[in-house]
Amino acid sequence: MASVYDHTKIEKKWQQAWEEAKLFLQTEKQGETVKDKMYLLFAFAYPSGSGLHVGHVESKTALDILARYYRMQGKDVFFPVGWDAFGLPAENYAIKTGVPPVETTKNAINTFRRQLKQIGISYDWANEIATCHPGYYKWTQWIFAELYKKGFAYQAEGKVNWCPQDQTVLANEQVVNGTCERCGAEVVQKDLKQWYFKITEYKDELISGLDQVDWPVATKQQQLNWIGKAKGLNIDFKLSEKTEITLTVWTKFWETVFGTTFVVIAPEKFLEMKLGELVDSQHQAAVNDYLDKAFKKTEEERKIGEKDKTGVDTGLKVINPVNGQAVPLYIADYVLMNVGTGTVMGVPAHDERDFAFAKKFGLPIQQVIVPSGLSFESLVSTQRDPADFRSQFLAQVKEGMTVWPWEGKIVNSGQFDNMESRGDGKQAMAEWMIEQGYAQWNVTYKLRDWLISRQRYWGAPIPVIYDPEGQPHLVEELPWELPTDVDFKPTGESPLTSSVEFQQRTEAYAAKHFQRLMIEKGWDQNGKGWRPEYDTMDTFVDSSWYFLRYVDARNEREFASKEQMQKWLPVDFYMIGPEHIVLHLLYSRFFTKFLRDQGYLNFDEPFMKMRHQGMILGPDGRKMSKSKGNVINPDEVIEKFGADTLRVYEMFMGPIEADKLWDVSAVAGVYRFLRRVHALVSAGVMPVGVQRKLHQTIRKVTQDIPELKFNTAIAAMMEFVNEWEAALKTSSADKLGHEELTSFIKLLAPFAPFLADELYHQVADSSKSSASSVHLSEWPQWNEELAQEEAVMIPIQINGKVRTQIEVKTDSVGDKNAILAEAKSTQIVQKWIEGKEIVKEIYVPGKIVNVVVK
RNA sequence: GCCGAAGUGGCGGAAUGGUAGACGCGAGAGACUUAAAAUCUCUUUCUCGCAAGGGAGUGUGGGUUCGAGUCCCUCCUUCGGCACCA
């Protein structure tokens, strides 16, 4: 009598058993060397109050399958877990309720931990870390100190993005369309002294290092875009009023330089160069007026200005070095200070922005390229009549409604006329200008240094104190702990300013460490006048090195020992959501390279292989959210169907990297599958007739898992179960032994670990010594001979269309002539080739026959 | 606008250049049942046909090939990222 599949009982039982047996703790191997290491990493989660969602389950299950699979293959698997525990939500909650973030966070972590154990993720819990723990942030602060000592952490005053809602500074990366990434409030600019990390020092290696890693091309592309390396030419325009002053423009399209009819400078640049002094009285008022307005503009107004160009004529003229022509100098805020040189040459004939500007201010438009050949034809849609489109387009350009494309023959450009604008002409013009001495190559980057100061409470304190003169001094006794006696209500200053303990600690620290300086300067020797740095670090700092700490999480003397790092690093496989593509990866790579250069690491890139899980959408095809009421709660699925079903379903939904929508009834389908497996194994009869299919299934699953093709691996197991059931009804009493039955259970083990261990013990053969858990057992091998079909059906095509098929014994698929003869002798083929001439006969061994007739 | 990814049945999806639609869901028919649920069996891309057997078919239009969902070109759509970046 087959027992029922009681998923709740089974899962509870094995969760407990694994925990008691410490089945997955790598820490036990602390002293041992590893032969064949496999470091599997997921982006550690922010422990939010709402607990695990189905998206977490997806990425964690995928990695868990790899972990269990590689373990069974005898690899040393390192699969750690931790929490990105600092951050705004806990602090915002504290502001609302007064509950300290440390408590909220602890509770949330407990919930997550319970849920992760419930879905059977085989983490090495002994290395669990939380970024808010002093034992962790001690080393975050230590890295800050290292950066500071090497000149990679510095303070600078400047315009920063300020979120009035969250009362904090934001990194450029956290500003989305002029609004705060987190709360959506409009970001304003503010002048503040802030801490920066010199990530730009590694800009070139952050590009070249991408060649070393196996990442999705799209991800690499986005990193490249963010770094934004662009090669252009600096071209010097001299002021005609005062020729010792040079305005340098930067351009990628220097082949249009003869078409320059004006030059535009950014308002900030204009001030910086003190050009205001040269403006004549006639233009003075308008210029001052414009500068005033430009600096007062809000983000909102700037965006409106995208279409409507504003600017002002300075009355000054600059000389185009290529033809000696004097062109007017304008100030306009569509030119950005931090792009290129903050000054651009206006070529209205071939650039849309310059075109709009010229139209508005009535400036001349000088065409210097005539579009020609293929490049122009590529503008033409096949849907439209090319000739018609061309004439329409040309008419548009003539009427001054649009700009000319800049691929084609160069004109109106002296000795460069008739050259190709994107080919020889471009090259020749650059060489000539450089030779003439007024142009140089200039490679520019979009990447800026990383602003890490945050005026928030719930983060790692910046380990710096200031002396009475305001000079910063590093705190070297770490951890420099986050005080607890603070007022969470935002005041525009960091909440840490309200801590009495923090101030006293700072004075005591100063008194202890800076006596000599105090005496020298004649300051109070008890530390009066000193103050701590009130800002905390961006939480991205915490998450930029956590994968290093994992390998030696309890080390109190260093962030990780050389031996442990040698043993496990770098990360072999990293699974993170697509939302982390730019920032987290860039910062982690920067830290890795920095620490390598200080002699702590011996590798260049932290994450060798990486993939991104897709998003799980609600049943309605939209992103899950409470307000839309389409959220699937994993706890409910577990209660009804069990964690094994939840896991297998999420892996079966589709390719791991694709977005997928939740299908409530398909979950039940997976549950049916597991129940059938349970019943079949419990009955214990595997007919001899399924042996071939079993070996094929082992082969398929073994090959699919490392390629992350979990959906097809599961489909293969379903196929096998279908065949197994069918065979029970038809075949004789002959049955396979214990080994075959166990092989199938092992295939299932990474996907449905609880059920698999239950079944493994159910069928355990007491006469043989077997592992204490299926998860410690050996991965099954397939036998290529047993997996081979006796005969194959070969489709016969006539002119590429399948008309019939013939059966061929597997050992004679190589006999081309015999197979072609047999194919042609079939009635159906005879019918199709009758009265026609055979032009060609193709046979792809074991695959297909194609007879071409005329 | 630029960069990137993707378009396959009613749905999720499968397919080293070689029988398109595996596997699952849903739907239809049947069995069991007083009935329903559950379970089991069969059918299920569209289309013509009683059938045998045809025809069409992987976003569009072309190309390469004996043969294209797959490779090349073109355009369209959707999604993700970047964007007054010169």
Side-chain angles (χ1 to χ4, degrees), chain A residues 565-579:
Chain A
M565 290 198 283
Q566 187 79 41
K567 204 188 287 183
W568 296 115
L569 287 162
V571 173
D572 294 285
F573 183 75
Y574 196 15
M575 185 102 177
I576 62 171
E579 69 275 16

Side-chain angles (χ1 to χ4, degrees), chain A residues 404-425:
Chain A
W404 293 93
W406 33 270
E407 273 189 73
K409 288 262 184 286
I410 295 173
V411 293
N412 301 324
S413 301
Q415 69 268 43
F416 301 101
D417 284 359
N418 286 319
M419 288 186 175
E420 283 298 323
S421 72
R422 305 307 307 280
D424 56 346

Side-chain angles (χ1 to χ4, degrees), chain A residues 769-813:
Chain A
S769 64
S770 51
S772 62
S773 162
V774 69
H775 305 293
L776 299 182
S777 72
E778 251 180 65
W779 189 253
Q781 303 281 322
W782 76 91
N783 180 320
E784 201 61 57
E785 252 171 66
L786 292 177
Q788 188 150 81
E789 296 287 349
E790 272 172 31
V792 288
M793 297 303 289
I794 294 188
I796 314 298
Q797 295 182 331
I798 310 294
N799 287 346
K801 278 200 183 297
V802 177
R803 295 301 174 187
T804 184
Q805 41 187 318
I806 56 173
E807 190 177 295
V808 177
K809 290 258 180 294
T810 304
D811 50 16
S812 52
V813 290

Side-chain angles (χ1 to χ4, degrees), chain A residues 544-563:
Chain A
S544 294
W545 71 283
Y546 74 108
F547 53 95
L548 301 174
R549 183 63 177 170
Y550 273 144
V551 305
D552 202 4
R554 301 292 173 261
N555 194 329
E556 290 179 11
R557 294 182 319 279
E558 41 195 346
F559 70 87
S561 73
K562 281 238 158 69
E563 301 77 64

Side-chain angles (χ1 to χ4, degrees), chain A residues 7 103 301 325 375-376 433 602 684 750 761:
Chain A
H7 58 83
E103 263 177 52
E301 285 166 324
Q325 211 170 57
S375 57
F376 180 77
M433 284 192 280
N602 61 359
H761 284 81

Side-chain angles (χ1 to χ4, degrees), chain A residues 221-233:
Chain A
Q221 197 56 51
Q222 276 194 46
Q223 294 245 315
L224 289 174
N225 287 348
W226 193 263
I227 298 167
K229 183 176 179 173
K231 190 179 175 185
L233 218 48

Side-chain angles (χ1 to χ4, degrees), chain A residues 255-271:
Chain A
E255 68 274 26
T256 63
V257 66
F258 282 88
T260 306
T261 55
F262 57 97
V263 166
V264 193
I265 187 166
E268 298 92 334
K269 186 78 179 179
F270 184 81
L271 281 190

Side-chain angles (χ1 to χ4, degrees), chain A residues 384-421:
Chain A
R384 288 176 277 192
D385 175 15
D388 190 42
F389 179 75
R390 187 184 174 109
S391 58
Q392 271 180 27
F393 177 79
L394 292 179
Q396 262 190 16
V397 182
K398 253 195 197 127
E399 284 163 29
M401 288 160 65
T402 188
V403 300
W404 293 93
W406 33 270
E407 273 189 73
K409 288 262 184 286
I410 295 173
V411 293
N412 301 324
S413 301
Q415 69 268 43
F416 301 101
D417 284 359
N418 286 319
M419 288 186 175
E420 283 298 323
S421 72

